Amino acid sequence: MATSNPKLSIISIFFIILSFLTLQAESVVKEGCEEETSSCNDKARALTLKIIAIVSILVTSMIGVSAPLFTRSIPALHPDKSLFVIVKAFAAGIILATAFMHVLPDSFDMLSSSCLPENPWHKFPFTGFLAMLSAIVTLMVDSLATSVYSKKSNVGVNPESVTHGAEPDQEMASNVGHFHGHGHHYEDKLASGAKQLLRYRVIAMVLELGIIVHSVVIGLSLGASSNTCTIKGLVAALCFHQMFEGMGLGGCILQAEYKPLKKAVMAFFFAVTTPFGIALGIALSKMYKENSPNALITVGLLNASSAGLLIYMALVDLLAADFMGPKLQGSIKLQVKSYMAVLLGAGGMSLMAKWA
């Protein structure tokens, strides 16, 4: 609860700035920025495709995020096993490519559109600036949340309880010095494990926040579109994207060792955000115009923000944390396999940029 007010303040400030910037462009509509007419524009057929998209994306998202949560019953996919690390690296590559190849270019295109006024949108690189700012804010939230939760949870082991629990063994032990050394080692090991668990929980929460933001934006764009040619490619790409991005998030949720109810809630919110965005887009399709200044600015700024967050999370909390950790540092062979998995995930998602 201690972090709720600062987070609300940051979000409020962001949306106040966003509202101010969109109001500036509200009355400006340039020639050629009206809704385009083409043979692909078919509202009735597009609605059918959108309903198919909602169902298929919901199912693939649920499969992707839930799959890692049931891997404890499969020994080869346990979080301590090498295969889990490789799969997680593949999913991290998907998330990284999503930010660099999909979200960030979309933001650049929107905020540099000829439909926006020359001043200030063509005078300053808002996308790069906001992505950078978002990454820094994510670092702040990541760091502060870890500190607050560490103090709140009193991470560590109570020395008195360890000593008290060990008294009978101490009386029986012939080497008292050895016992004390073992007790301190056990205490340090428990404290280290508790701190690592806390980091996993913060990572899972921040990553879910970033994914939810850009998933709603993607869904909104798809739901508001009447272009059947665009929707067909988007549905296939989003199913692939949501499944493997869900696997990355599901792996983080698994490592966080939440209670079953919280796991289910986090998985549910991930699975329904894109379908919710599509449904919202359908509802707002009469009001929402892709080339209107308000839509371009709002979606462009949100994309830039989520891109910075996803880049930070993929590079720092997922890839760097694993590759610089003891498991991968202790095995060159596993590192090479994990690098190949990252490149495969990033390459596959980059290829999807051809259609979406």
Side-chain angles (χ1 to χ4, degrees), residues 233-307:
L234 268 175
V235 172
L238 284 176
C239 286
F240 175 86
H241 165 263
Q242 289 294 108
M243 178 175 283
F244 289 103
E245 192 174 59
M247 288 176 65
L249 178 62
C252 292
I253 294 172
L254 178 65
Q255 288 180 314
E257 296 183 9
Y258 287 119
K259 292 179 180 179
L261 179 60
K262 192 159 189 179
K263 287 180 182 177
V265 169
M266 292 183 76
F268 172 79
F269 272 106
F270 167 78
V272 301
T273 45
T274 303
F276 169 76
I278 296 172
L280 187 63
I282 294 171
L284 299 176
S285 58
K286 290 184 179 179
M287 300 166 51
Y288 180 90
K289 306 298 179 186
E290 289 183 355
N291 290 333
S292 71
N294 281 353
L296 289 169
I297 294 169
T298 304
V299 177
L301 293 178
L302 286 173
N303 274 338
S305 300
S306 58

Side-chain angles (χ1 to χ4, degrees), residues 195-266:
K195 287 178 182 177
Q196 186 60 53
L197 177 62
L198 202 121
R199 282 292 303 136
Y200 285 143
R201 290 185 173 181
V202 172
I203 289 169
M205 286 187 290
V206 177
L207 180 61
E208 171 130 359
L209 176 65
I211 289 174
I212 282 175
V213 170
H214 95 265
S215 293
V216 171
V217 171
I218 290 170
L220 181 64
S221 299
L222 191 152
S225 176
S226 297
N227 191 315
T228 55
C229 301
T230 302
I231 292 171
K232 285 178 185 176
L234 268 175
V235 172
L238 284 176
C239 286
F240 175 86
H241 165 263
Q242 289 294 108
M243 178 175 283
F244 289 103
E245 192 174 59
M247 288 176 65
L249 178 62
C252 292
I253 294 172
L254 178 65
Q255 288 180 314
E257 296 183 9
Y258 287 119
K259 292 179 180 179
L261 179 60
K262 192 159 189 179
K263 287 180 182 177
V265 169
M266 292 183 76

Side-chain angles (χ1 to χ4, degrees), residues 93-164:
I94 293 277
I95 294 170
L96 188 63
T98 297
F100 275 116
M101 298 299 296
H102 295 260
V103 185
L104 205 58
D106 283 351
S107 179
F108 273 114
D109 289 343
M110 289 175 179
L111 296 183
S112 61
S113 171
S114 58
C115 297
L116 294 181
E118 187 73 19
N119 188 26
W121 302 105
H122 294 204
K123 301 288 186 183
F124 185 79
F126 282 97
T127 294
F129 175 74
L130 199 58
M132 174 190 70
L133 195 63
S134 175
I136 295 171
V137 170
T138 306
L139 170 63
M140 290 168 56
V141 172
D142 199 10
S143 174
L144 291 172
T146 303
S147 299
V148 169
Y149 289 136
S150 294
K151 291 178 180 178
K152 188 177 178 181
S153 304
N154 292 321
V155 173
V157 181
N158 187 349
E160 293 181 4
S161 63
V162 174
T163 308
H164 178 71

